[in-house]
């Protein structure tokens, strides 16, 4: 305890005044010759002890009033052992919410700008020798400096240069990260100052329990840290966002119409009528629509587009009309192929039409070419006998179909494995020539091979015209088959098989496979397995009409086409990313060890060296912190577009109400401040101790009232004494 | 029209030095306010006729005389007293209290004078006994008008002092009262309540009617002292207490209320009338109290 005006403590001597007054009263008394002495004496006899106690209590209260008043004027400060913590030096971690909701603001001042300004001021006011670190909250945290800094000026410089990110703020993860950073700090006194806009989505369920746990860990760790939440949020309610863009993720061909569904949401309280929504392809506006949205309402806008050229295209849906621009655009990178090469490996060739194993499939995969129609087919097939399958032919195709192939050589198997592993697609259809034992031993290889599940034995009726088993009618989750969830597109249940291969159960150590379609008996019809970056689909029956009626059914063509296109899509890496997600581009093998240029949003570019990855080259880039278009330019000039969209979790700018913020602080035992002055008061209390004059003044007030009350209480006549004097009995 | 005694307070009347004049003033003032004759209902004896004047009651007209003389005459009667009253006036030291105004003793003396005058005016017999811890002067009841002067002289000559011992006093008094009658006790009753009640019971046992006029000073009822005060006993010299009356007031008043309640209840139990009087009250109030009692007995 120390005093800011210690000289005023002399005023405590005033506590003697009531004693002096008491003594003076005792010596300057009146004399009364009194008749009703027996009444007085009875009172004295019965109440002497109580009267003395009352007198003493009143005297003490009266003495305490000037005593406490002098104490309050001396401005005592309660330090509670702060001096033991080392001269006020404090290790400080500033946790800065740099999610894009912090870009929202009014009259030009954004929450992020305010946070930076306050953080610079706060760090500048730290005692010399304090170490400090800045943690950026977006995408789970990251430090501004490699090591904690002791230089407030340098830190301020770095802070001023920061821009708000476009990621989402995950407060619990960021606090955990800050907890780890705290381990590198030096001082015993520690604090974490969290600059945040208290966006509702970040502080309510399901984040709340994890947040409480993270705060508890910070507070009660080996070296506990004080946590202060600095509320820099502003009440900005209006925000519009393109929430999502839906379209078919299957490979698109030139001339194919692609449908887009844009979801637009109004997060604000003001209804928006005739809001323009623009649709652009490769930067050129192709269509515009208007949508009317009520408060907190979402709507859907549909666009269609047919790509006329092959290659990588960028589709963009955008709106305007609010201050937070990051969520006003949704971009999509769409690879368009003019022809997708498919290699059909025919295990049972035939000179007669439609008797060969792949004859139906060849027609089904390129119907326009087969029908001599002038329309373009996306898929282009090439049929080879099994013995011609080699690495060269594999490198020229996107998908391979093995149809009733008895067996392959070891070299062929290795080449096929390399092809799939590098992202190629493989379909396996059995038949009467299949060597089941070889398939199990080599192609399944205990779960390590290409075959998702080992073939067991041929099932069904071998007689022509015998009993058949239909395919199961079911709801499909697989993207290649969900097309058949709409009955207008045909039903797989129309197909029936007479003969089929049963699949053996996979051993526990086998790589996982999944059944994507079944027979009505429940036995698998199609099973799928990922192999490297590619995928393999195995069927249980033949590709032609020998074992069933599948080629005769309307679903045969779309089934084959969608399975093939889906497998071919696996060759591509994900081109539509979220902020912070790693960009991975696969390039032709020739690009390996060469410089690859990446164009970034805003017109910048950088160069990276492509790495060899199997039979291909690959380039990876992790700096996708800005949403927008990233263009990967291969050494041969080929361009691949990647788009990065800001996560829409931050679009809802609704903040916690003041009462909820208070409750949050109370429940988690953390201080919440709204501005620098409040923080300074808090800091002053922590560093120098708490000034006590206010509670003491309150105590003086209470004592004054108490003295009045006691005085009244001790002198108030009892009800009985108020009886009228006059009156007559009887 | 109000009589002068109604307009004067006890302190004004203090300036009228003659007790006789004072008593007459008070009693006549009091009686002029009465509308009904206090004599009604007593046994009477014919004294004389007098001429009728307007305002006399018609039932008192002697119709025989009217028949003889053709004039209205009223029959007047000589009253025959049947009340023997003795005033017992407290001479103890505590009766000498009174700050700046009338002391309780002075008030008691004047009250006794007024009562005596009134009683004699009504043809009642009145006597006097003074007491403190012992019985003092005792004047037996007489109904002669001259008897009043003896009573007044005795009251004027008496000086208060000494302690109160009502039990002994009343026991000593009973044998001296040969016939039963009304005993009017004028005292502050500052004594041990059970003892006092026992003494009153003794009087009642001897078939006397007892009326107690309890005299209070306003200070004793309100305890208005604010400064530290040394209270010295009026009855025992050197017996004193220094205290803060503000702090004590509550308890004092509670104690006072309890004392009065005990006394009132005790008197009611023994069928004794007790009327509290404060020294700033008009004497007429006391006479009214007496008259009420007198009427009740009639």
């Amino acid at each position: 305890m120390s005093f800011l005006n210690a000289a005023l403590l002399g005023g405590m001597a005033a506590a003697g005044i009531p004693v002096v007054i008491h003594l003076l009263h005792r010596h300057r008394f009146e004399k009364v010759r009194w008749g009703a002495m027996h009444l007085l004496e009875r009172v004295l006899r019965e109440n002497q002890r109580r009267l003395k106690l009352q007198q003493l209590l009143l005297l003490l209260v009266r003495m305490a009033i000037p005593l406490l008043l002098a104490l309050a004027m001396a401005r005592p400060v309660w330090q509670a052992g702060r001096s033991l913590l080392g001269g006020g030096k404090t290790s400080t971690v500033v946790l800065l919410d740099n999610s894009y909701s912090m870009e929202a603001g009014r009259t030009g001042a954004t929450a992020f700008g305010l946070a930076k300004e306050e953080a610079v001021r706060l760090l500048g006011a730290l005692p010399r020798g304090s170490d400090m670190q800045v943690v950026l909250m977006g995408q789970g945290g990251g430090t501004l400096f490699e090591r904690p800094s002791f230089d407030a000026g340098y830190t301020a410089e770095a802070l001023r240069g920061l821009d708000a990110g476009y990621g989402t703020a995950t407060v619990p993860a960021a606090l955990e990260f800050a907890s780890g950073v705290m381990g590198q700090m030096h001082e015993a006194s520690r604090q974490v100052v969290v600059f945040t806009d208290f966006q509702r989505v970040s502080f309510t369920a399901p984040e709340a329990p994890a947040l409480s746990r993270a705060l508890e860990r910070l507070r009660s760790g080996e070296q506990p840290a004080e946590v202060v939440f600095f509320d820099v949020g502003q009440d900005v309610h209006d925000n519009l966002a393109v929430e999502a863009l839906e379209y078919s993720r299957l490979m698109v061909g030139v001339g194919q119409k692609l449908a887009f569904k844009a979801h637009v949401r109004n997060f604000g309280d003001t209804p928006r009528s005739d809001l323009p929504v623009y649709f652009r392809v490769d930067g050129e506006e192709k269509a515009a629509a208007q949508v009317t949205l009520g408060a907190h309402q979402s709507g859907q806008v549909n666009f269609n587009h047919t790509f006329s050229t092959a290659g990588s295209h960028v589709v963009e849906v955008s709106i305007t009309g609010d201050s937070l621009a990051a969520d006003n655009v949704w971009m999509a990178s769409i690879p368009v192929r003019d022809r997708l090469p498919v290699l059909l490996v025919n295990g049972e060739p035939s000179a007669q039409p439609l008797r060969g194993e792949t004859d139906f499939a060849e027609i089904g995969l390129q119907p326009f070419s087969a029908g001599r129609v002038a329309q373009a087919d996306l898929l282009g097939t090439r049929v080879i006998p099994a013995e011609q399958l080699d690495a060269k032919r594999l490198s020229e195709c996107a998908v391979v179909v093995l149809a009733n192939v008895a067996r392959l050589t070891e070299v062929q198997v290795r080449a096929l494995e390399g092809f799939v592993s590098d992202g190629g697609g493989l379909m396996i259809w059995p038949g009467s020539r299949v060597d089941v034992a070889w398939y199990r031993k080599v192609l399944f290889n205990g779960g390590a091979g290409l075959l998702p599940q080992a073939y067991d034995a041929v099932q069904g009726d071998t007689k022509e015209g015998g009993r058949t088993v239909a395919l199961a009618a079911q709801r499909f989750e697989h993207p290649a088959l969900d097309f058949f969830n709409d009955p207008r597109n045909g039903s797989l249940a129309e197909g029936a098989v007479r003969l089929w291969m049963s699949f053996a159960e996979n051993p526990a150590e086998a790589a996982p496979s999944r059944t994507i379609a079944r027979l009505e008996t429940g036995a698998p019809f199609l099973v799928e397995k990922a192999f490297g970056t590619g995928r393999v689909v195995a069927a249980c029956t033949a590709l032609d009409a020998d074992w069933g009626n599948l080629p005769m059914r309307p679903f045969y063509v779309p089934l084959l086409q969608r399975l093939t296109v889906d497998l071919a899509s696996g060759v591509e890496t994900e081109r539509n990313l979220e902020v912070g997600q790693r960009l991975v581009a696969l390039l032709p093998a020739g690009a390996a060890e060469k410089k690859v240029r990446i164009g970034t949003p805003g017109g910048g570019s950088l160069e990276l060296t492509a790495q060899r990855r199997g039979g291909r080259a690959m380039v990876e880039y992790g700096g996708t912190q800005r949403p927008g278009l990233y263009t990967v330019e291969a050494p041969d000039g080929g361009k691949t577009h990647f788009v990065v969209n800001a996560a829409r979790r931050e679009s809802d700018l609704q903040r916690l109400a003041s009462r909820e913020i208070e409750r949050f602080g109370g429940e988690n035992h953390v201080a919440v401040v709204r501005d620098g002055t409040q923080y300074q008061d808090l800091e002053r209390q922590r560093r120098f101790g708490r000034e006590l004059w206010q509670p003491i003044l309150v105590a003086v007030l209470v004592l004054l009232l108490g003295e009045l009350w006691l005085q009244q209480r001790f002198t108030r006549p009892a009800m009985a004494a108020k009886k009228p004097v006059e009156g007559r009995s009887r | 029209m109000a009589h002068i005694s109604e307009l004067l307070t006890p302190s004004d009347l203090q300036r009228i030095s003659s007790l006789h004049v004072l008593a007459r003033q008070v009693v006549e003032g009091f009686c002029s306010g009465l509308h009904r004759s206090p004599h009604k209902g007593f046994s009477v004896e014919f004294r004389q006729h007098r001429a009728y004047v307007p305002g006399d009651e018609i039932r008192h007209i002697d119709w025989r005389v009217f028949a003889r003389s053709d004039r209205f005459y009223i029959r007047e009667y000589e009253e025959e007293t049947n009340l023997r009253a003795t005033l017992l006036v407290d001479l103890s030291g505590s009766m000498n209290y009174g700050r700046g105004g009338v002391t309780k003793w002075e008030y008691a003396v004047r009250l006794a004078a007024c009562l005596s005058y009134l009683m004699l005016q009504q043809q009642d017999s009145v006597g006097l006994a003074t007491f403190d811890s012992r019985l003092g002067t005792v004047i037996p009841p007489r109904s002669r008008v001259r008897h009043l002067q003896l009573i007044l002289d005795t009251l004027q000559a008496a000086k208060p002092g000494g302690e109160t011992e009502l039990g002994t006093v009343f026991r000593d008094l009973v044998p001296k009262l040969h016939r039963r009658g009304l005993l009017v006790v004028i005292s502050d009753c500052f004594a041990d309540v059970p003892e006092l009640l026992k003494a009153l019971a003794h009087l009642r046992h001897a078939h006397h009617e007892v009326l107690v006029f309890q005299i209070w000073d306003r200070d004793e009822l309100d305890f208005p002292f604010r400064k530290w005060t040394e209270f010295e006993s009026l009855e025992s010299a050197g017996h004193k207490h220094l205290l803060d009356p503000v702090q004590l007031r509550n308890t004092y008043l509670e104690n006072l209320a309890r004392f009065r309640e005990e006394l009132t209840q005790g008197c009611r139990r023994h069928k004794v009338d007790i009327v509290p009087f404060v020294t700033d009250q008009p004497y007429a109030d006391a006479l009214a109290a007496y008259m009420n009692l007198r009427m009740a007995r009639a």
Side-chain angles (χ1 to χ4, degrees), chain A residues 22 25-44 46-47 50-56 58 711-718 720-730, chain B residues 94 97 190 218-221 223 225 228-234 239 241-243 246-248 250-262 264 268 271-276 278 281 289 292-293 297:
Chain A
H22 177 76
H25 272 141
R26 283 191 69 116
H27 284 93
R28 295 173 58 190
F29 55 84
E30 280 185 344
K31 283 190 177 181
V32 172
R33 289 173 56 78
W34 186 245
M37 211 61 175
H38 69 295
L39 292 175
L40 262 187
E41 280 174 346
R42 193 164 156 190
V43 170
L44 287 171
E46 289 174 0
N47 300 285
R50 184 173 62 82
L51 291 172
K52 274 189 178 169
L53 271 175
Q54 285 181 355
Q55 222 164 24
L56 187 66
L58 265 177
Q711 176 98 348
Q712 290 290 319
R713 173 116 180 84
F714 295 161
T715 57
R716 194 188 321 134
K722 289 183 176 174
K723 285 187 71 167
V725 172
E726 293 82 15
R728 184 171 176 180
S729 65
R730 197 170 168 191
Chain B
S94 63
Y97 183 77
F190 287 174
R218 187 60 67 187
D219 287 356
E220 290 166 341
L221 296 170
F223 208 63
F225 310 100
W228 278 77
T229 309
E230 186 181 74
F231 292 93
E232 187 176 357
S233 174
L234 280 164
H239 189 191
H241 293 288
L242 177 62
L243 41 90
V246 173
Q247 196 193 359
L248 205 67
N250 264 353
T251 337
Y252 171 86
L253 292 178
E254 282 167 20
N255 206 7
L256 170 70
R258 200 160 60 234
F259 168 74
R260 294 181 64 196
E261 183 64 21
E262 282 172 17
T264 309
R268 186 173 295 154
K271 295 189 167 54
V272 171
D273 289 279
I274 180 163
V275 186
V278 189
Q281 267 183 275
N292 283 342
L293 178 75
R297 294 289 174 273

Side-chain angles (χ1 to χ4, degrees), chain A residues 559-705:
Chain A
L559 173 68
L560 271 192
Q561 287 214 354
R562 293 189 75 85
L563 279 173
T564 309
V565 171
D566 179 58
L567 285 171
S569 305
V571 179
E572 302 290 336
T573 53
E574 183 57 57
R575 294 180 182 208
N576 297 288
L577 310 169
E578 272 197 8
V579 168
Q581 199 177 341
R582 211 164 180 74
L583 180 157
V584 180
L586 291 174
L587 301 167
E593 311 302 333
K594 289 183 181 167
K595 291 284 181 193
V596 174
R597 194 172 154 278
I598 299 180
T600 55
S605 71
L606 55 105
E607 282 193 340
L608 295 172
T609 305
Q611 307 294 318
R612 187 176 297 283
R613 175 83 177 270
R616 291 188 174 213
M618 187 182 75
V619 68
E620 283 186 74
Y621 175 60
T624 54
Q625 295 302 329
R626 276 178 76 91
L629 179 64
Y630 292 77
T631 309
V632 177
E633 195 174 333
D636 63 1
K639 287 183 180 174
T640 312
H641 296 111
F642 291 81
V643 295
V644 173
N645 287 302
R648 273 17 183 191
R649 187 170 174 269
E650 296 280 324
S651 294
D652 188 354
L653 297 177
Q654 211 182 1
R655 278 161 46 76
L656 289 187
S658 304
R659 224 178 25 253
E660 291 172 304
I661 294 175
E662 271 175 34
R663 195 165 59 231
F664 164 79
E667 284 173 359
N668 293 290
H669 310 290
V670 294
V672 179
V673 295
R674 274 288 294 175
D675 53 41
T677 316
Q678 284 182 10
Y679 176 79
Q680 280 163 12
D681 287 346
L682 189 72
E683 179 62 10
R684 198 176 301 121
Q685 277 174 23
R686 284 204 316 227
R687 202 181 299 165
F688 303 113
R690 173 185 281 273
E691 273 208 55
L692 298 176
W693 65 270
Q694 278 175 320
I696 295 175
L697 265 190
V698 171
V700 168
L701 195 66
V702 169
L703 281 177
L704 277 170
L705 291 172

Side-chain angles (χ1 to χ4, degrees), chain B residues 52-73:
Chain B
Y52 168 81
V53 290
D56 286 339
E57 286 193 42
I58 293 172
R59 62 185 174 135
H60 292 149
I61 294 174
D62 192 332
W63 297 109
R64 287 183 186 166
V65 175
F66 172 72
R68 283 201 300 268
S69 62
D70 202 19
R71 290 173 186 227
F72 292 120
Y73 283 94

